Amino acid sequence: MTSVIKIQERHTADRTHILEDDKPSSLGCFGWFIIIISIIVTIGLFPLTIFMCVKIVQEYERAVIFRLGLIVDRKPKGPGIFFVLPCTDTFRRVDLRTVSFNIPAQEFLTKDSVTVSVDGVVFYRVFDPICSVANITNVDQSTKLLAQTTLRNVMGTKNLSELLSDRDGISFCMQSALDEATVVWGIKVERVEIKDVKLPQQLQRAMAAEAEAVREARAKVIAAEGEMNASRALKEASLVIAESPSALQLRYLQTLNSIAAEKNSTIIFPLPIDIIQHFVSKTN
C-alpha cells in the first residue's frame, strides 16, 4: 500500500512539473489575423462549413486540438461534440482504454549464470492525452520497446530460484520501473505478468533427476518408518499371544475362516515348529 501511494505521489509531482514546463505560447499578431480570416470564411460559408467544423469523439476517446501548431487550452476535448476551425485547426484522437501486448521471449543470463528465456504481458492505458501526443512520437511502440528492455534488466538481477518462485515480486518490480519511466509520456502501467519461463533441456533433465532422487529418498525413509512401526506392533502382538495360549488358537481359526471365504480348494494347515523339534530330539 505504501508503494502504491508513493507511485501516485510521484505521478502527481511529475505531472505538475510537466505542466509548469509546458506553458502555452502566444499566437502572435499574424496568427490571430489568420484565425480571424478563418472565422470569417466559416461564417460566410456556414451551411457548407458546418460539416467541417463539427467533430465527435467517443466516450473512451479524447481529442487533442492543435491551432496553428499549438495545443488549444492545454487540455483535451471530449467526449461528445466539439468544434474546430477549418484551415487552422487539426486534432488527434487518443484512446483511453486499457491496451495489452505480449513481450517477446527474451534470452538472458541470470545472476547465477543460467541462460533462460522469459516472456510476459503488459497492460497499460493513457491517463494524460496531452503528454502522450506532445512528448513522444509513437507512445505504443515506445512502451513495447521499453518493456522488453526492462524485462531483461530486471531478470538479470535475479537468481534462477528467485525467478521460479517469486514471479509476483518480479512483476511488481517491472511494473514500478515501467510506470516511473512512462509517466512523462502520459502512460499508466496497470499490470505486468510473467507468462512463461523456459529453461535449457539439459537443465530441465538435471532438475528432474534431482527431484526424482529426493522423492526416492523420501519414499525409502517412509518405508523404513513403516517397517519399524510394523515390527513394534508384531512384537506387542506376540507378547499378548504368549500370555494367553488360547489367543493363538483363535487367531488360527480366524485365518482359516478368511481363507475359506475366498472359495479356495486348498487349505494350508500350519504345523508348529515345537512338534518337529520334539521328534528330532527323540531321534537323536
Side-chain angles (χ1 to χ4, degrees), residues 217-237:
R218 190 179 304 164
K220 290 180 180 179
V221 171
I222 294 174
E225 291 178 353
E227 292 290 338
M228 182 177 62
N229 295 332
S231 62
R232 289 178 180 175
L234 290 174
K235 179 182 177 182
E236 294 177 358

Side-chain angles (χ1 to χ4, degrees), residues 7-208:
I7 292 174
Q8 292 178 350
E9 292 177 351
R10 186 169 61 251
H11 286 176
T12 304
D14 293 339
R15 175 59 179 158
T16 304
H17 179 69
I18 293 170
L19 291 177
E20 290 176 355
D21 292 343
D22 297 339
K23 294 181 180 179
S25 301
S26 176
L27 294 174
C29 296
F30 186 72
W32 282 110
F33 176 73
I34 295 177
I35 291 174
I36 292 172
I37 293 177
S38 178
I39 294 174
I40 294 172
V41 172
T42 302
I43 296 174
L45 301 176
F46 175 72
L48 300 178
T49 56
I50 185 66
F51 300 102
M52 302 174 60
C53 296
V54 177
K55 304 296 180 181
I56 300 175
V57 292
Q58 304 296 330
E59 178 68 28
Y60 53 84
E61 294 178 333
R62 297 296 182 270
V64 180
I65 301 176
F66 292 89
R67 180 164 296 163
L68 297 178
L70 302 177
I71 298 176
V72 177
D73 297 334
R74 308 303 301 175
K75 62 180 181 180
K77 302 295 183 181
I81 299 176
F82 63 95
F83 297 90
V84 296
L85 293 177
C87 304
T88 61
D89 291 359
T90 58
F91 72 97
R92 286 185 56 181
R93 299 176 186 267
V94 180
D95 198 330
L96 302 183
R97 292 177 294 182
T98 299
V99 181
S100 63
F101 64 88
N102 291 322
I103 303 177
Q106 305 290 317
E107 291 188 359
F108 57 90
L109 283 176
T110 60
K111 192 175 181 180
D112 49 356
S113 301
V114 178
T115 302
V116 295
S117 177
V118 179
D119 57 356
V121 60
V122 177
F123 300 87
Y124 72 94
R125 61 179 175 84
V126 177
F127 75 92
D128 191 338
I130 300 295
C131 294
S132 66
V133 172
N135 292 353
I136 191 166
T137 304
N138 191 334
V139 66
D140 295 329
Q141 183 67 19
S142 300
T143 304
K144 293 179 181 179
L145 295 176
L146 182 62
Q148 296 179 22
T149 306
T150 305
L151 177 63
R152 298 176 66 91
N153 293 338
V154 172
M155 294 300 180
T157 61
K158 304 294 182 180
N159 296 325
L160 180 61
S161 58
E162 296 176 349
L163 186 60
L164 297 176
S165 61
D166 190 19
R167 291 193 178 188
D168 293 338
I170 295 174
S171 299
F172 181 76
C173 291
M174 284 192 59
Q175 180 180 350
S176 301
L178 285 174
D179 210 12
E180 184 176 359
T182 58
V183 64
V184 295
W185 301 342
I187 296 297
K188 168 63 179 174
V189 179
E190 295 182 340
R191 192 176 183 88
V192 178
E193 291 292 340
I194 303 299
K195 292 176 57 178
D196 191 16
V197 179
K198 296 181 181 179
L199 303 177
Q201 294 294 331
Q202 296 180 353
L203 182 59
Q204 293 182 13
R205 288 193 292 267
M207 295 177 67

